[in-house]
Amino acid sequence: MEHQATKLDIQIDVSTTTGYAAIQNNIPIIHSLTVKNTTDEMLENIELRIQCEPAFAEPIRFLFEHLKPREARRISPIDLKPDHSYLSNLDEAEKATVSVLASSGDQTLTKVSHIVEVLAYDQWAGSRGLPELLAAFCMPNSVVVDRLLGKASALLSQVSGCTLHGYQSKNREHVWKIISALYSTLMAENIQYVLPPASFSSDGQKIRTPERIFDGRVATCLDLSM
């Protein structure tokens, strides 16, 4: 982080990673911003401009008519408007900068910047971000999933005369039969296993969509679980 000597002290709490999954689940890029007048004089007409480079989110600005001596203001969270087209088409992670520029009239008071890793649209951050965002990569409404369920339902009916009605029967044995039918159906698709990246445990991994799995016929354990 760059921080110049100034009449203003700016502190920003920024996510270390962001991406399409985080944005779609309303995880803010900037959790909070605090600006403090470090002088014993009144500061007037303060403008804060926040921008991202590259522009994965639109710029935003805040205006303060005045800041009293030693006064601090806090904004939390800051709702940056994302560029959905940019994020949904990003194939590889890239480093980006979130900058806050403070000025008064034509005078620049300070500038603070923070590095953020913007993840590919299909990338889960693992323990670097919110691990629970893994759920965002589950796609139960995929056409491919519907086809698999149809095949599993037919197999289940043929073998045991049961249907795919989940837990409605409140019968543990029936649930196991459903799981067996789903597993057998997936095995019959002849999908080949591939290893995840070496950095899986700490950095997460890219997760194939159901359509991509069946196009290439390869998948990791996490791909198939999702």
Side-chain angles (χ1 to χ4, degrees):
M1 179 181 295
E2 299 172 2
H3 200 172
Q4 303 171 2
T6 176
K7 297 178 181 179
L8 282 179
D9 179 69
I10 296 178
Q11 300 292 330
I12 52 174
D13 180 10
V14 183
S15 296
T16 56
T17 63
T18 191
Y20 200 54
I23 295 296
Q24 288 290 82
N25 285 275
N26 300 313
I27 307 300
I29 300 167
I30 302 179
H31 300 283
S32 67
L33 182 151
T34 302
V35 54
K36 181 179 180 180
N37 180 355
T38 61
T39 73
D40 294 319
E41 59 185 71
M42 181 81 74
L43 297 179
E44 298 180 336
N45 300 319
I46 306 300
E47 177 181 1
L48 297 182
R49 182 175 176 83
I50 303 173
Q51 62 184 25
C52 305
E53 179 60 39
F56 63 88
E58 295 182 7
I60 190 172
R61 66 175 188 157
F62 298 94
L63 299 174
F64 300 97
E65 290 187 2
H66 60 265
L67 285 175
K68 297 177 182 178
R70 306 296 172 180
E71 180 183 8
R73 302 275 188 94
R74 185 174 185 270
I75 307 170
S76 176
I78 293 178
D79 187 19
L80 294 180
K81 186 177 180 180
D83 184 335
H84 288 278
S85 177
Y86 178 92
L87 292 168
S88 64
N89 289 287
L90 187 62
D91 292 326
E92 297 293 340
E94 62 182 17
K95 297 292 184 182
T97 302
V98 177
S99 299
V100 183
L101 177 67
S103 61
S104 179
D106 295 332
Q107 180 185 9
T108 297
L109 299 178
T110 190
K111 181 178 181 181
V112 175
S113 60
H114 199 288
I115 300 297
V116 176
E117 185 175 13
V118 184
L119 302 177
Y121 74 94
D122 57 352
Q123 187 174 359
W124 173 55
S127 59
R128 291 181 299 158
L130 292 172
E132 53 267 39
L133 279 175
L134 179 62
F137 295 91
C138 183
M139 303 175 67
N141 296 318
S142 167
V143 173
V144 169
V145 174
D146 284 342
R147 291 172 184 164
L148 286 173
L149 289 176
K151 292 180 180 179
S153 180
L155 177 61
L156 188 62
S157 176
Q158 177 184 350
V159 173
S160 62
C162 299
T163 60
L164 288 175
H165 57 64
Y167 297 97
Q168 294 180 20
S169 67
K170 298 182 180 180
N171 184 311
R172 181 177 299 178
E173 182 180 351
H174 181 64
V175 173
W176 280 113
K177 290 179 180 178
I178 292 175
I179 294 172
S180 177
L182 291 170
Y183 180 81
S184 297
T185 299
L186 199 56
M187 287 293 293
E189 295 295 329
N190 194 31
I191 297 171
Q192 302 301 310
Y193 174 74
V194 292
L195 289 170
S199 59
F200 165 74
S201 61
S202 60
D203 293 335
Q205 70 178 64
K206 287 187 174 183
I207 300 176
R208 293 173 176 83
T209 63
E211 287 75 13
R212 187 179 169 193
I213 290 173
F214 280 83
D215 282 344
R217 298 284 164 175
V218 293
T220 67
C221 293
L222 189 58
D223 296 335
L224 293 174
S225 296
M226 290 297 100

